[in-house]
Amino acid sequence: MNDTPPAIEPLLARLCGGEITGEDYVGYFMNEHGEELVFAQRPGEKTARLWHSDVDWQMCRVGDHSIRVDGELEGMITVDNLIINRTEMTWLSSCLAASRHLRPGRA
């Protein structure tokens, strides 16, 4: 009997269609609408990758200053060209903070 759980990285890679390895810091989130998000930060890369099921798993690059809140548009939150809600923003901020040490010059 094998008590070792399966690695999460191949499961998330299959889910979003992206390349994710065991070296990456990964995060997974499902919002209240059942939409899924996958985050992956590869060591040494300046930005992380983010996939969202609501946009057909199209990948966008995210970094420490990627999240934008537009006060003129009733607090609309965007990352790259993706509109996200407040709970997704909180999750993404946590992923970025937890993986900061993997980005060059961000120890």
Side-chain angles (χ1 to χ4, degrees):
M1 180 174 181
N2 186 354
D3 290 335
T4 305
I8 190 74
E9 295 85 5
L11 300 173
L12 293 176
R14 232 180 6 255
L15 176 68
C16 70
E19 182 184 326
I20 300 173
T21 71
E23 297 294 314
D24 295 336
Y25 173 91
V26 296
Y28 169 81
F29 182 77
M30 180 184 289
N31 68 22
E32 63 273 19
H33 306 290
E35 299 164 345
E36 298 170 291
L37 292 86
V38 175
F39 174 94
Q41 173 68 59
R42 184 151 295 154
E45 289 191 359
K46 292 180 180 180
T47 57
R49 292 156 290 141
L50 175 68
W51 296 269
H52 196 308
S53 66
D54 190 41
V55 292
D56 298 323
W57 295 111
Q58 182 179 356
M59 184 197 70
C60 65
R61 290 283 181 171
V62 295
D64 293 322
H65 304 288
S66 295
I67 299 171
R68 304 274 185 243
V69 179
D70 189 334
E72 294 179 15
L73 296 175
E74 298 180 19
M76 183 171 68
I77 305 164
T78 59
V79 176
D80 197 16
N81 291 323
L82 179 65
I83 297 171
I84 60 173
N85 65 31
R86 195 157 301 281
T87 56
E88 292 168 338
M89 179 192 71
T90 301
W91 168 80
L92 178 57
S93 295
S94 296
C95 288
L96 287 165
S99 64
R100 183 169 288 130
H101 68 284
L102 297 174
R103 291 188 285 287
R106 303 297 305 184

